Amino acid sequence: MSATTVTAPAASRPMPWLIIVAGSLIAVLTFGPRSAMGFFQLPMLQDTGWDRTTFGLAMALQNLAWGVSQPFFGAIADKFGTWRVLLVSGLVYALGLFLMSLGTSPLWLHVGGGVLVGLGVGAGSFGILLSAFARNVTPDQRSMAFGICTAAGSAGMFLFAPLSQGLISAFGWSDSLVWLGVMMLLVPLLGIPLRGNSSSGITAASEYKQTIGEALKEALGHRSYLLLTAGFFVCGYQVAFITAHFPAYLGDIGIDARYAVIALALIGFFNVIGSLAAGFIGQRYSKPYFLAYIYLARSVAVSAFILLPKSPASVIIFAVVMGLLWLSTVPPTNGLVAIMFGTKHLGLLGGIVFLSHQIGSFLGVWMGGYLYDHFGTYDPVWWLGVVLGLFAAIVHWPIEEKGVARPAMA
């Protein structure tokens, strides 16, 4: 009876819509330009004479900087507050895009479009935003809130694909990057409602007290957490390769360039649907099994796309299917981390899982360019993604969806 009286008010608590809307708009901005980087590849290389390995390395560095910085930015947000980290995100992101726009040497491409844009995304991506959400919603609302934010990131991909292509057509690739950088200066303003750290919010009083060292030791000794981390590597490999190389791949197989814009926009649009559906499904059904099915479905979709004849119609169908599966992994993955360990160090522990994702992203983007330059085809990278998808489905199956055993909870 007492359990009912305690949980009923939490369940009826309204969603903190100001925080959710502000965080979702930030996700639109931080995920938009980075998801459209593939449109800048061919015009930039045509003007500069660089090869695809050079561009691929910059995008790989971007994903690696994003991943490596994520646990640190997450820990800083947990301790000192989310808004301070979002301020860094907007300023560093804008500077990185400006340096990338110079195009005078591969150094500025790698430092600006690679390292600085990666740091900017890392300071304003899901690891930061979802931790702020988790502190301000009830456990019953968490999966859906995560789904909304993930869908917003997907909407950024949907909006910025045609926007970036339109800017490039109107102003050229260099000036377009400057305009995108100006937009990133909105991130600190939108971040004001997300003020607060892990000691604030509705969950703070009930959280298990740990130091960062204790939290890391607990997580790195937890079998399900390690399996989740290993599986998320595959997500990064698959989506980053497609984001960076799909427009060039379609050009290589003779598909009109406009279908690359259509395809990435469709991925973004159906990603919104997939992310919201993932938030709904993850709240009601087994998250580990759901993740296993997502990775298995990705492998089937990629295999069919590679083996069947290529046409504009097959590109559109592939984009729709992949869009539904694109970021649908994020709500259940972050939800599992919160279930296992709570929200006290969610920015840090979720950031470590995401570091694995970004190591996969680094390899997917870099290998895409490297293997293409050596073999003249992207096929080896596609097929490796299929095999990794099967691996991810296997490692998610035994994950246990429950909190870690702690003395105070026994």
Side-chain angles (χ1 to χ4, degrees):
M1 188 70 174
S2 60
T4 304
T5 59
V6 171
T7 57
S12 63
R13 181 185 293 270
M15 291 276 269
W17 286 112
L18 178 61
I19 291 173
I20 290 174
V21 170
S24 297
L25 289 174
I26 292 171
V28 170
L29 288 172
T30 56
F31 278 85
R34 69 152 302 273
S35 66
M37 288 289 103
F39 294 111
F40 291 89
Q41 179 175 184
L42 294 182
M44 174 181 282
L45 300 188
Q46 183 177 2
D47 283 355
T48 60
W50 304 330
D51 59 20
R52 296 191 191 189
T53 301
T54 301
F55 187 87
L57 178 59
M59 296 303 101
L61 287 171
Q62 179 189 113
N63 282 284
L64 191 61
W66 176 6
V68 170
S69 68
Q70 187 79 85
F72 295 99
F73 283 130
I76 292 169
D78 288 340
K79 185 172 180 62
F80 297 106
T82 301
W83 182 81
R84 289 182 173 87
V85 174
L86 293 174
L87 173 64
V88 172
S89 173
L91 297 178
V92 172
Y93 206 143
L95 177 60
L97 290 170
F98 172 73
L99 292 179
M100 182 179 174
S101 75
L102 299 178
T104 52
S105 75
L107 174 64
W108 295 122
L109 171 63
H110 293 151
V111 172
V115 176
L116 291 181
V117 169
L119 293 175
V121 179
S125 66
F126 292 137
I128 306 302
L129 300 174
L130 297 187
S131 297
F133 282 19
R135 295 193 297 268
N136 291 282
V137 300
T138 66
D140 289 341
Q141 298 168 337
R142 190 179 292 153
S143 185
M144 183 53 67
F146 287 4
I148 292 171
C149 188
T150 307
S154 309
M157 183 177 184
F158 172 69
L159 293 172
F160 276 82
L163 174 61
S164 298
Q165 187 62 57
L167 287 172
I168 292 170
S169 299
F171 303 108
W173 64 267
S174 181
D175 288 347
S176 298
L177 289 169
V178 175
W179 280 111
L180 294 179
V182 171
M183 294 181 194
M184 294 308 103
L185 298 178
L186 294 173
V187 169
L189 297 177
L190 292 169
I192 293 174
L194 279 72
R195 295 188 306 273
N197 60 12
S198 62
S199 298
S200 61
I202 65 173
T203 63
S206 61
E207 281 299 314
Y208 186 74
K209 306 305 179 185
Q210 287 178 308
T211 65
I212 289 178
E214 291 169 342
L216 285 173
K217 182 178 179 181
E218 179 182 66
L220 296 178
H222 193 266
R223 178 172 174 266
S224 290
Y225 179 78
L226 296 178
L227 291 174
L228 186 69
T229 303
F232 212 34
F233 166 91
V234 178
C235 181
Y237 177 95
Q238 293 172 330
V239 302
F241 164 67
I242 295 175
T243 299
H245 293 283
F246 199 56
Y249 172 75
L250 294 184
D252 291 343
I253 62 176
I255 302 293
D256 191 280
R258 63 194 175 98
Y259 284 100
V261 180
I262 294 171
L264 289 184
L266 284 172
I267 288 174
F269 177 78
F270 282 92
N271 196 2
V272 174
I273 299 173
S275 298
L276 290 173
F280 178 85
I281 294 170
Q283 195 69 52
R284 290 160 176 80
Y285 302 100
S286 167
K287 294 178 181 65
Y289 292 171
F290 180 44
L291 285 165
Y293 290 134
I294 290 173
Y295 287 109
L296 182 61
R298 283 186 183 179
S299 291
V300 172
V302 171
S303 299
F305 179 65
I306 296 301
L307 293 174
L308 295 175
K310 311 296 190 301
S311 68
S314 71
V315 170
I316 289 174
I317 293 171
F318 176 71
V320 170
V321 174
M322 287 303 295
L324 292 172
L325 303 171
W326 194 258
L327 292 181
S328 56
T329 58
V330 173
T333 297
N334 283 273
L336 281 169
V337 178
I339 288 171
M340 292 174 189
F341 306 109
T343 63
K344 176 69 175 177
H345 296 287
L346 183 58
L348 169 65
L349 300 181
I352 292 174
V353 176
F354 198 76
L355 170 59
S356 174
H357 181 284
Q358 292 311 100
I359 293 173
S361 297
F362 174 88
L363 291 176
V365 174
W366 176 75
M367 289 175 65
Y370 179 81
L371 293 179
Y372 179 89
D373 286 338
H374 279 71
F375 296 103
T377 176
Y378 285 115
D379 284 355
V381 194
W382 283 114
W383 284 116
L384 181 56
V386 171
V387 174
L388 288 173
L390 298 177
F391 163 79
I394 292 170
V395 301
H396 278 89
W397 204 260
I399 290 175
E400 296 181 356
E401 187 175 350
K402 64 181 182 180
V404 64
R406 288 166 171 163
M409 299 171 63

